[in-house]
């Protein structure tokens, strides 16, 4: 009975995505354009953005295909049931890539329609941007749910008579595939978007003194392309990986806990309960859509935030009876008895902490609150004080989320042991459909503002798109905080499954064990090494972009006067080539580390590496993402003309632009990419456990 329910909910999610996709594409660009000339301009600009985004995605996926081939051979030859794990891996990767492609297609169709509709009304413009985001949110969630259940059914058909805990271990290859795509999507997309953004800002806004998204800036198309490849495809792959990985971790742990249940129907319900729990969030997310109706420009952000709050409350209400009916009243994990009500409280803890982490992130990154306004105030005395205040804000903002994650872990362990940690991660990701919807809404509305500026639609239209964009900036920051928090719990859940599968007991990974301590130190250093690599990559790519923009301003007669057309394609090519080249080294670091440590030094040191990377990686990711978000919104606060800063073009504004430029790789490249580091290393460790155990750590013998 449980399998048809899961399939039905997955199809519901895809149905919602399909409906919104039809609604967005059915709107003609000319409906909102003032005249045929404006409609042609809008079409030309949006086509250039779509062409650049799809060209990048095509080239990135070709590189990913080669990686999948090499990594797939390694999986097939070294892992128990390697060929079956390889199938899971390929399907997970393929669905993640498909989700990114669909999200990119709808985002590049929705951005221009959002801009055109802004001439009609704020409500219509918001509706298009939101529906575009919903295609990504509900489409990805539906693919994740259906992918996992169909792979599970296929594995049972291909492996008749094999114990369920082995089937679940093989299924973890699905999460590995999704997370592998996310690594390159996040890193490659992040380098692309920030190379273009930094180049456009430093040369265009600071040196040339022209507005953001001005068509005279050669990097402006590349900048808008970057919003899609980083914040649509990259974020989508990231959260797809989190859903798949957290669910796989719960399935692996639960398979052992529920194997002894004699009632076949109850045993099946308990085994697949993690997938069902994720699917229940689809219903809550659909119902929350009815409450999103902003009445004015200042109500957009509140409408989006209310959807997340309402979906969280609804999911909590729905999960209780489902948990009580689908799980046995009591069960054993490591000889300790737990109850189904304990599992519910673990889920509720994750659900609530995810919402609170998002709201805390909003407090530290929205210019409606004191912390960002303090950063703006610091801009009065120059870029140096702006940067100092921004860094301080980021460090401070990591404290409360870490406390929440710690509390969630304690509640999960007390209520349901290792299984409780995994279910808390699923709870935090329960409203992923609506969460990703409001996150994907951000880059669509941001692109709409850029298109309106380039098409010279007028200040009134730009004011409306700016209102949508301002709300999108805040919800994007909330999304990043949500993604980092869920990555922390997902990584911990995977690490718990790794310890369970490797038969490592708590006393074997104590701090008095020098092997474990060495692993902790190595793991703690990895996020810093990874961040250094990704930030340096942004710097190198941005250097090429800056030189190209300066060259065009210098060598194209009449460009700055608006009498000549910039060579946008050259800047798009620079970002594409640089990002694809620079993403390789960080990717190798993340993938090779657990393989090398596990093979050479054994599972105990690897456990230390995973825990060290988790603790340092989460704190660093939160502080970087929030510093970057604060710098961005401090700049936008000054641009609103509020206070005595002087508005656009003032000394305070120029200082804030420098801070924002510094923060670009913080919030859109290195910070979010750390999610992948801690998750991917954990899922690799889980999949390759048998290989590591057999090798026994060849240097430790």
């Amino acid at each position: 009975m449980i399998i048809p329910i899961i399939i039905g909910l997955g199809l519901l999610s895809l149905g919602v995505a399909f409906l919104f996709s039809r609604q967005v594409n059915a709107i003609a660009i000319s409906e909102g354009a003032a005249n045929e000339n404006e409609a042609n301009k809008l079409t030309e600009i949006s086509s250039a953005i779509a062409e650049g985004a799809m060209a990048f995605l095509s080239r990135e996926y070709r590189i990913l295909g080669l990686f999948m081939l090499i990594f797939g051979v390694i999986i097939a030859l070294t892992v128990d049931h390697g060929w079956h794990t390889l199938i899971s891996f390929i399907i997970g990767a393929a669905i993640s890539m498909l989700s990114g492609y669909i999200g990119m297609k709808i985002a590049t169709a929705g951005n221009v329609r959002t801009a055109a509709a802004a001439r009609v009304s704020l409500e219509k413009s918001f509706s298009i941007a939101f529906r575009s985001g919903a295609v990504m949110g509900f489409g990805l969630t539906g693919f994740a749910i259906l992918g996992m259940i169909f792979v599970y059914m296929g594995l049972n058909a291909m492996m008749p008579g094999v114990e369920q805990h082995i089937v679940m271990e093989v299924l973890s290859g699905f999460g590995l595939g999704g997370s592998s795509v996310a690594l390159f999507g996040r890193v490659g997309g992040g380098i692309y978007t920030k190379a273009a953004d930094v180049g456009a800002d430093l040369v265009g806004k600071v040196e040339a003194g022209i507005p953001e998204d001005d068509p005279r800036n050669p990097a402006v198309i590349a900048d808008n392309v970057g919003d899609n490849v980083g914040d649509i495809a990259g974020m989508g792959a990231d959260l797809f990986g989190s859903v798949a990985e957290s669910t796989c971790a719960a399935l692996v742990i639960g398979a052992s806990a529920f194997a002894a249940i004699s009632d076949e129907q109850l045993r099946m319900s308990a085994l697949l309960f993690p997938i069902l729990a994720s699917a229940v969030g689809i219903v809550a997310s659909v119902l929350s859509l009815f409450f999103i109706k902003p009445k004015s420009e200042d109500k957009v952000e509140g409408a989006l935030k209310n959807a997340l709050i309402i979906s969280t409350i609804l999911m909590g209400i729905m999960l209780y009876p489902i948990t009580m009916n689908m799980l046995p009243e009591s069960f054993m994990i490591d000889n300790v008895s737990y109850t189904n009500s304990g599992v519910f409280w673990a889920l509720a803890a994750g659900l609530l902490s995810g919402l609170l982490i998002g709201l805390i992130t909003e407090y530290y990154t929205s210019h409606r609150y004191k912390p960002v306004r303090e950063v703006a105030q610091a801009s009065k005395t120059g870029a140096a004080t702006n940067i100092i205040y921004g860094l301080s804000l980021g460090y401070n903002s990591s404290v409360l989320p870490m406390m929440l994650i710690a509390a969630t872990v304690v509640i999960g362990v007390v209520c349901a042991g290792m299984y409780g940690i995994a279910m808390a991660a699923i709870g935090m990701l329960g409203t992923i459909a609506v969460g990703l919807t409001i996150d994907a809404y951000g880059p669509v509305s941001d692109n709409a503002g850029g298109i309106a500026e380039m098409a010279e639609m007028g200040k009134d239209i730009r004011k409306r798109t700016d209102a949508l964009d301002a709300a999108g900036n805040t919800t994007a920051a909330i999304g990043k905080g949500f993604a980092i928090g869920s990555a922390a719990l997902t990584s911990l859940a995977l690490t718990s499954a790794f310890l369970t599968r490797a038969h490592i007991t708590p006393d074997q990974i104590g701090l008095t064990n020098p092997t474990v301590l060495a692993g902790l130190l190595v793991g703690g250093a990895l996020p810093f090494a990874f961040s250094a690599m990704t930030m340096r990559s942004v710097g190198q790519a941005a250097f090429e972009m800056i030189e190209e923009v300066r060259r065009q301003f210098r060598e194209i007669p009449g460009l700055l006067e608006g009498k000549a057309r910039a060579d946008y394609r050259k800047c798009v090519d620079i970002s594409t080539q640089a990002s694809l080249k620079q993403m390789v080294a960080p990717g190798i670091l993340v993938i090779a580390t657990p393989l090398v440590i596990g093979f050479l030094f054994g599972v105990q040191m690897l456990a230390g590496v995973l825990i060290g990377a988790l603790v340092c990686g989460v704190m660093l990711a939160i502080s970087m993402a929030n510093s970057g978000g604060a710098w961005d919104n401090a700049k936008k606060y000054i641009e609103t003309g509020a206070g005595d800063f002087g508005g656009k073009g003032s000394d305070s504004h120029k200082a804030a632009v420098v801070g924002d430029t510094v923060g670009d790789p913080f919030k859109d490249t290195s910070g979010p990419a750390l999610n992948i580091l801690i998750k991917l290393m954990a899922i690799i460790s889980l999949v390759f456990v048998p290989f590591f155990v057999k090798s026994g750590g060849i240097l430790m013998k």
Side-chain angles (χ1 to χ4, degrees):
M1 182 63 184
I2 189 171
I3 290 179
I5 294 174
I6 292 171
I7 293 174
L9 291 175
L11 291 174
L12 170 65
S13 192
L14 290 185
V16 172
F18 179 73
L19 174 63
F20 283 138
S21 176
R22 289 288 299 272
Q23 290 176 344
V24 171
N25 285 309
I27 298 171
I29 297 172
S30 58
E31 283 185 29
N35 50 56
E36 186 178 348
N37 182 52
E38 186 173 277
N40 291 336
K41 275 187 177 181
L42 290 170
T43 302
E44 180 185 354
I45 294 165
S46 65
S47 296
I49 294 171
E51 181 184 339
M54 289 304 169
F56 170 81
L57 208 61
S58 175
R59 292 173 66 175
E60 182 183 49
Y61 282 0
R62 285 201 295 269
I63 294 174
L64 272 172
L66 178 61
F67 161 77
M68 296 301 166
L69 177 62
I70 297 172
F71 199 34
V73 171
I74 295 173
I75 291 172
L77 296 179
T78 58
V79 174
D80 287 353
H81 302 282
W83 291 106
H84 294 118
T85 305
L86 172 61
I87 293 172
S88 296
F89 171 77
I90 291 174
I91 294 174
I95 293 177
S96 182
M97 292 165 73
L98 177 63
S99 299
Y101 175 81
I102 291 173
M104 193 84 84
K105 287 288 287 185
I106 192 64
T108 52
N111 55 14
V112 65
R113 289 165 172 80
T114 300
R119 190 175 289 284
V120 179
S121 68
L122 175 79
E123 291 79 6
K124 184 167 184 178
S125 184
F126 170 82
S127 175
I128 295 171
F130 183 81
R131 289 174 183 177
S132 300
V135 175
M136 183 70 173
F138 285 91
L140 180 143
T141 307
F143 280 132
I145 297 300
L146 292 174
M148 280 186 286
I149 195 65
F150 283 131
V151 169
Y152 168 77
M153 293 167 63
L155 290 174
N156 272 314
M158 291 187 293
M159 304 166 65
V162 175
E163 295 181 14
Q164 285 296 295
H165 74 89
I166 295 177
V167 174
M168 298 307 186
E169 289 166 2
V170 173
L171 181 60
S172 61
F174 181 87
L176 176 58
S179 196
S180 298
V181 171
L183 170 66
F184 293 104
R186 264 300 194 192
V187 175
I191 294 171
Y192 185 112
T193 183
K194 291 305 107 181
D197 204 358
V198 170
D201 284 355
L202 284 182
V203 184
K205 290 162 66 175
V206 177
E207 294 182 8
I210 60 178
E212 187 172 5
D213 296 317
D214 193 294
R216 291 172 291 178
N217 194 325
V220 71
I221 293 292
D223 186 10
N224 281 277
V225 170
D227 290 334
N228 292 289
V229 300
D231 291 335
I232 294 291
M235 170 64 87
D238 182 0
L239 290 177
F240 174 87
S242 289
V243 172
E245 290 159 339
S246 60
T247 308
C248 288
L251 290 169
V252 169
I253 299 171
S256 299
F258 304 126
I261 298 176
S262 57
D263 186 326
E264 184 177 349
Q265 185 172 342
L266 180 60
R267 183 172 68 253
M268 182 63 67
S269 296
L271 283 171
L272 298 180
F273 176 73
I275 304 179
L276 178 63
S278 296
V280 168
I282 294 169
V283 180
S285 296
V286 170
L287 293 175
S288 71
L289 299 181
F290 294 99
F291 297 90
I292 305 177
K293 294 180 180 179
K295 302 294 184 183
S296 60
E297 293 178 2
D298 60 340
K299 301 294 184 182
V300 174
E301 183 180 322
L304 292 168
K305 190 167 62 176
N306 287 341
L308 194 59
I309 294 172
I310 291 168
S311 63
T312 300
I313 294 171
L314 290 175
M315 184 170 181
I317 293 171
M318 288 188 289
L319 275 175
Y320 183 78
I322 292 171
T323 306
M324 294 300 102
N325 284 288
M326 292 295 180
L327 292 180
E329 187 174 343
S330 63
F331 56 93
M332 301 287 290
I333 296 179
D334 294 332
N335 298 318
V336 179
S337 178
Y338 299 103
T339 64
N340 52 6
S341 61
V343 173
F344 168 76
W345 289 117
L347 279 164
L351 193 61
L352 180 61
S353 64
L355 176 62
L356 292 177
I357 287 172
L359 297 179
I360 290 168
T361 304
E362 179 196 18
Y363 174 74
Y364 280 103
T365 57
S366 172
H367 61 60
R368 293 191 294 112
Y369 302 107
K370 183 180 177 182
V372 171
R373 295 191 177 190
E374 287 181 341
V375 176
Q377 190 70 25
S379 303
K380 283 182 161 185
T381 50
T385 45
N386 170 282
I387 292 170
I388 290 169
Y389 267 72
L391 287 172
S392 171
L393 178 149
Y395 295 152
N396 195 37
S397 70
S398 65
V399 176
L400 285 176
M402 290 299 290
M403 297 300 102
L404 281 170
I405 292 170
T408 304
V409 170
V410 171
I411 293 171
V413 170
V414 170
C415 291
M418 295 284 199
Y419 189 67
I421 296 175
M423 294 312 297
I426 289 175
M428 187 174 283
L429 288 160
T431 56
I432 185 65
V434 73
L436 187 54
T437 293
I438 64 175
D439 195 63
Y441 156 90
V444 173
S445 56
D446 188 6
N447 263 204
I451 291 170
E453 180 78 28
M454 286 183 278
E456 300 175 327
M457 294 180 71
K459 291 183 179 180
D460 290 344
I461 305 304
R462 185 64 203 247
K463 184 183 177 184
R464 285 180 178 174
T465 59
D466 281 349
L468 300 179
D469 185 24
N473 280 331
T474 301
T475 57
I478 292 174
K480 287 184 176 68
F482 176 78
I484 294 168
S486 64
L489 283 183
T490 298
S491 176
L492 192 56
L494 291 167
T495 302
S496 301
F498 162 75
L499 297 175
T500 299
R501 194 178 181 194
H503 304 292
I504 298 176
T505 57
D507 61 299
Q508 293 177 302
I509 52 172
L511 292 178
T512 56
N513 185 326
T515 301
V516 176
L517 184 58
L520 285 170
L521 296 173
V522 172
L526 281 174
F528 294 91
F530 181 80
S531 297
M533 294 172 74
T534 51
M535 291 186 71
R536 183 179 177 84
S537 295
V538 169
Q540 290 174 340
F543 178 81
E544 294 182 45
M545 184 67 70
I546 289 169
E547 289 299 305
E548 174 59 24
V549 176
R550 285 174 176 167
R551 182 195 68 79
Q552 292 197 34
F553 281 155
R554 186 174 61 250
E555 297 181 5
I556 299 179
L559 178 57
L560 277 173
E561 292 76 25
K563 298 176 181 178
R565 178 184 172 87
D567 184 0
Y568 302 120
R569 186 181 294 274
K570 179 65 175 177
C571 292
V572 170
D573 287 341
I574 287 174
S575 270
T576 301
Q577 293 172 13
S579 60
L580 295 177
K581 177 182 176 183
Q582 298 291 340
M583 73 180 185
V584 174
I588 292 174
L589 174 70
V590 175
I591 293 169
T593 296
L595 295 176
V596 171
I597 295 293
F599 178 64
L600 296 182
F601 300 99
V603 290
Q604 288 183 325
M605 180 177 281
L606 182 54
V609 168
L610 296 179
I611 296 169
L614 169 62
V615 173
C616 292
V618 173
M619 286 191 290
L620 186 60
I622 293 173
S623 66
M624 293 180 82
N626 288 350
S627 286
W631 279 318
D632 186 11
N633 282 325
K635 176 200 70 176
K636 285 182 167 56
Y637 181 60
I638 294 172
E639 289 175 347
T640 63
D644 58 349
F645 300 105
K648 290 184 179 181
S650 65
D651 289 340
S652 295
H653 181 244
K654 290 178 181 178
V657 169
V658 174
D660 177 38
T661 304
V662 172
D664 276 337
F666 274 50
K667 68 181 175 67
D668 290 326
T669 308
S670 299
L674 285 169
N675 299 350
I676 315 299
L677 177 138
I678 61 176
K679 292 187 300 182
L680 184 54
M681 290 205 307
I683 190 74
I684 288 174
S685 302
L686 174 62
V687 170
F688 283 86
V689 160
F691 175 65
F692 297 149
V693 171
K694 288 176 184 176
S695 69
I698 61 174
L699 294 183
M700 304 299 289
K701 294 179 179 178

